[in-house]
Amino acid sequence: MQIADLYIRVSTDEQADKGYSQRDQHERLERYCIQNQITIGQVIFEDHSDD
């Protein structure tokens, strides 16, 4: 059995606005895992920093 941890990150506001939102990434990764019979372990969300 394969297990994957998902790391979901948006580095800029522009990415979030142009279809690479965290929600979109999560849905795509989850769909991939389901289609390929990969169990999802941790889901890590990280937003962009203003540094």
Side-chain angles (χ1 to χ4, degrees):
M1 169 185 10
Q2 294 181 327
I3 299 174
D5 291 333
L6 307 182
Y7 177 70
I8 299 166
R9 182 174 195 274
V10 174
S11 59
T12 65
D13 288 332
E14 183 179 5
Q15 280 184 320
D17 292 339
K18 293 193 176 186
Y20 299 104
S21 68
Q22 289 183 335
R23 174 183 283 164
D24 182 62
Q25 291 178 51
H26 186 243
E27 289 173 357
R28 289 171 187 249
L29 290 169
E30 188 174 53
R31 191 173 329 123
Y32 177 86
C33 288
I34 290 168
Q35 290 172 346
N36 292 282
Q37 299 176 335
I38 300 169
T39 300
I40 297 172
Q42 294 184 52
V43 180
I44 301 162
F45 290 93
E46 185 175 309
D47 204 353
H48 72 281
S49 61
D50 293 326
D51 294 346

